[in-house]
Amino acid sequence: MANNYKRFIHNQFEKAKSTASEFISSRSVEQDEDMIDLDPRHVDELKEIADLQHTTVQAIVNGLIAQYLASASYELTPISVDQKEANPLLYLDGICKQED
């Protein structure tokens, strides 16, 4: 009876380890998807600048991104009927992007 109990506890422990391992690996995959590769030379320069300015590379990069997004013109240009007639796939693209 004690042997069955030990086996049960061992199996539960292995299940818990497996679940924890899957959770950790899925989290690292999510983090990898959010990562951006930067040129190492730029990172080194940014580290030097950040140290001089008593800030972090992340703060500098976030500031640069905010500036870019504020100045970038990324509004969609309407597609003319002539363009749609020349390329019927543009009709399909417009249909797929319509909101309900």
Side-chain angles (χ1 to χ4, degrees), residues 1 9 25 47 50 52 68 74-75 79 81 89 93 98:
M1 184 82 167
I9 295 295
S25 67
K47 284 180 184 176
L52 291 172
Y68 177 80
Y74 51 89
E75 292 181 25
I79 300 171
V81 174
L89 290 176
D93 188 47
Q98 288 180 350

Side-chain angles (χ1 to χ4, degrees), residues 11-51:
N11 288 339
Q12 294 297 12
F13 177 71
E14 290 300 320
K15 286 179 186 178
K17 275 187 1 184
S18 175
T19 301
S21 178
E22 288 174 21
F23 176 74
I24 290 169
S25 67
S26 69
R27 294 273 323 245
S28 63
V29 167
E30 290 172 11
Q31 290 173 345
D32 287 347
E33 291 173 359
D34 294 339
M35 291 184 65
I36 299 171
D37 291 327
L38 300 175
D39 185 324
R41 294 171 299 184
H42 295 151
V43 173
D44 291 340
E45 290 179 49
L46 285 172
K47 284 180 184 176
E48 290 177 20
I49 293 169
D51 288 343

Side-chain angles (χ1 to χ4, degrees), residues 31-96:
Q31 290 173 345
D32 287 347
E33 291 173 359
D34 294 339
M35 291 184 65
I36 299 171
D37 291 327
L38 300 175
D39 185 324
R41 294 171 299 184
H42 295 151
V43 173
D44 291 340
E45 290 179 49
L46 285 172
K47 284 180 184 176
E48 290 177 20
I49 293 169
D51 288 343
L52 291 172
Q53 294 179 354
H54 304 291
T55 188
T56 64
V57 171
Q58 182 175 352
I60 293 172
V61 171
N62 285 334
L64 292 169
I65 291 170
Q67 285 178 347
Y68 177 80
L69 291 175
S71 66
S73 174
Y74 51 89
E75 292 181 25
L76 297 177
T77 306
I79 300 171
S80 71
V81 174
D82 292 337
Q83 288 173 310
K84 289 178 183 178
E85 287 176 357
N87 186 351
L89 290 176
L90 294 175
Y91 276 117
L92 179 60
D93 188 47
I95 291 169
C96 292

